[in-house]
C-alpha cells in the first residue's frame, strides 16, 4: 500500500515573507500614487504661471517619494512643456526647468497651496528648434528643410583652445534649400550664435557654400543668404525668470540655459 503524499502547510516564515511582499507592493503603489497627485498639482500651477494651453509634463524624481514628502524637501522636480508659442515667429519652443530641493509640506503640495514653497535652485532652459528658425529667415528669402548642427570643423575651434570656453557663444552649421532663378539649390552656412542683451540670440554667418557654383550672380546670392540667416531671435523670458548664461548647439536646436538660486515656487 502506497502512502499518499501529505500536503505541506506554509511555514510561519513563508507567511511572513508573503505578507512582507504584499505590504511592500502596497507601499510602492501608495508612493507612486502620492507622487502622481503631487505632480498633477505642480502641473496645474505651472500651467497658470507659464500661461500654457496644456498642462506641462511634471516628474518628481527620486524614490521613494514618501521620504521626500515627510521631510518636505523634493530633490528634483522636472518640468517640461513643448510646442510653446512666443509672439508670431516662434511657435514650437521647448521649455524645461529642473527645481532642485523644492521645500513644501505634503499637505500643501497635495492641496495646491504653493504660496510658501521655496526652491534652492532652478536650472531653466529654452530650446529653439530648426522649424522656428526656418520661419524667421523666410521673412527675407524662402527656405525649406532648415537644419541646425554643431560646427565640428577644426577651423571652428580657436587655436590654441581657450582654457575656459565662452559659454555665451557657440559655433553653428545651418543648411537648407532655397530657389534662385527658378533653380533649387542647397545652401550650407557656417557661423556662430551668441547670447546678447535680454537673453536674445544673435546668429551671424561667416562662410556660405552652395551645391551649384555655376549660378549667375553667385556673389549676390551668397550675400542674400548671409542677410537672411543673420537674424536675432527673442525667445522671451526663461522659466522662473532665470537669467540666460549659456547657449549650446545640438542637432536640430539651439538651447539657452541658466540658473537662479533661492526663489519662491510661485515665481513664474
Amino acid at each position: 500500500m502506497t502512502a499518499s503524499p501529505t500536503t505541506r502547510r506554509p511555514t510561519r516564515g513563508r507567511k511572513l515573507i508573503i505578507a512582507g511582499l504584499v505590504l511592500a507592493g502596497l507601499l510602492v503603489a501608495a508612493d507612486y500614487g502620492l507622487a502622481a497627485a503631487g505632480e498633477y498639482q505642480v502641473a496645474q500651477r505651472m500651467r497658470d504661471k507659464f500661461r500654457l494651453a496644456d498642462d506641462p509634463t511634471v516628474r518628481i524624481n527620486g524614490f521613494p517619494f514618501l521620504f521626500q514628502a515627510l521631510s518636505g524637501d523634493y530633490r528634483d522636480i522636472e518640468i517640461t512643456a513643448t510646442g510653446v508659442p512666443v509672439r508670431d515667429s516662434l511657435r514650437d519652443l521647448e521649455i524645461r526647468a529642473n527645481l532642485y530641493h523644492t521645500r513644501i509640506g505634503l499637505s500643501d503640495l497635495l492641496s495646491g497651496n504653493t504660496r510658501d514653497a521655496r526652491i534652492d535652485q532652478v536650472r531653466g532652459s529654452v530650446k529653439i528648434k530648426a522649424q522656428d528658425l526656418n520661419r524667421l529667415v523666410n521673412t527675407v528669402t524662402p527656405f525649406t528643410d532648415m537644419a541646425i548642427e554643431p560646427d565640428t570643423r577644426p577651423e571652428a575651434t580657436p587655436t590654441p583652445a581657450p582654457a575656459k570656453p565662452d559659454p555665451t557663444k557657440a559655433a553653428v552649421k545651418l543648411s537648407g534649400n532655397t530657389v534662385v532663378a527658378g533653380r533649387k539649390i542647397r545652401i550650407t552656412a557656417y557661423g556662430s550664435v551668441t547670447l546678447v542683451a535680454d537673453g536674445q540670440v544673435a546668429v551671424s554667418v561667416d562662410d556660405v557654400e552652395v551645391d551649384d557654383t555655376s549660378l549667375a550672380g553667385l556673389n549676390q546670392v551668397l550675400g542674400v543668404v548671409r542677410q537672411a540667416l543673420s537674424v536675432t531671435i527673442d525667445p522671451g523670458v526663461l522659466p522662473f525668470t532665470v537669467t540666460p548664461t549659456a547657449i549650446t548647439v545640438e542637432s536640430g536646436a539651439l538651447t539657452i540655459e541658466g540658473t537662479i538660486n533661492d526663489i519662491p515656487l510661485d515665481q513664474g
Side-chain angles (χ1 to χ4, degrees), residues 117-137:
R118 297 195 68 84
I119 314 166
D120 284 10
Q121 184 182 78
V122 174
R123 180 177 297 167
S125 68
V126 170
K127 184 175 291 187
I128 304 166
K129 299 179 183 178
Q131 187 175 3
D132 275 339
L133 180 59
N134 200 151
R135 191 175 294 109
L136 281 172
V137 302

Side-chain angles (χ1 to χ4, degrees), residues 52 54 56-57 80-85 91-96 129:
L52 302 174
D54 301 303
T57 300
T80 307
T82 57
V84 179
R91 303 175 189 172
D92 193 25
L93 295 180
E94 181 178 315
I95 297 175
R96 182 182 298 271
K129 299 179 183 178

Side-chain angles (χ1 to χ4, degrees), residues 113-163:
N113 178 19
T114 57
R115 181 178 55 195
D116 297 325
R118 297 195 68 84
I119 314 166
D120 284 10
Q121 184 182 78
V122 174
R123 180 177 297 167
S125 68
V126 170
K127 184 175 291 187
I128 304 166
K129 299 179 183 178
Q131 187 175 3
D132 275 339
L133 180 59
N134 200 151
R135 191 175 294 109
L136 281 172
V137 302
N138 278 356
T139 60
V140 179
T141 189
F143 271 84
T144 59
D145 302 323
M146 177 69 69
I148 299 174
E149 298 288 343
D151 185 357
T152 57
R153 300 174 304 161
E155 55 266 39
T157 304
T159 305

Side-chain angles (χ1 to χ4, degrees), residues 14-65:
R14 186 181 301 177
K15 289 180 179 179
L16 289 175
I17 291 173
I18 293 172
L21 291 174
V22 171
L23 179 61
L26 292 173
L27 288 174
V28 169
D31 193 87
Y32 278 107
L34 281 174
E39 290 166 352
Y40 172 78
Q41 291 295 342
V42 174
Q44 293 288 297
R45 202 68 174 167
M46 294 304 103
R47 176 177 177 173
D48 294 338
K49 286 297 178 184
F50 296 161
R51 298 176 184 176
L52 302 174
D54 301 303
D55 288 352
T57 300
V58 175
R59 180 179 176 85
I60 301 177
N61 295 314
F63 180 83
F65 171 82

Side-chain angles (χ1 to χ4, degrees), residues 47-111:
R47 176 177 177 173
D48 294 338
K49 286 297 178 184
F50 296 161
R51 298 176 184 176
L52 302 174
D54 301 303
D55 288 352
T57 300
V58 175
R59 180 179 176 85
I60 301 177
N61 295 314
F63 180 83
F65 171 82
L66 285 172
F67 284 178
Q68 300 182 77
L70 291 173
S71 65
D73 179 5
Y74 304 88
R75 295 188 294 272
D76 179 13
I77 300 178
E78 185 177 314
I79 304 169
T80 307
T82 57
V84 179
V86 173
R87 304 178 182 87
D88 294 330
S89 53
L90 304 176
R91 303 175 189 172
D92 193 25
L93 295 180
E94 181 178 315
I95 297 175
R96 182 182 298 271
N98 282 86
L99 285 50
Y100 298 113
H101 296 287
T102 301
R103 302 181 187 275
I104 179 175
L106 178 60
S107 61
D108 286 338
L109 176 65
L110 296 180
S111 66

Side-chain angles (χ1 to χ4, degrees), residues 50 97 122 124 236-244 258-261 263-264 266-268:
F50 296 161
V122 174
V237 180
L238 266 64
F240 293 90
T241 63
V242 167
T243 300
T259 59
I260 189 170
N261 297 322
I263 63 166
D266 280 354
Q267 180 171 319

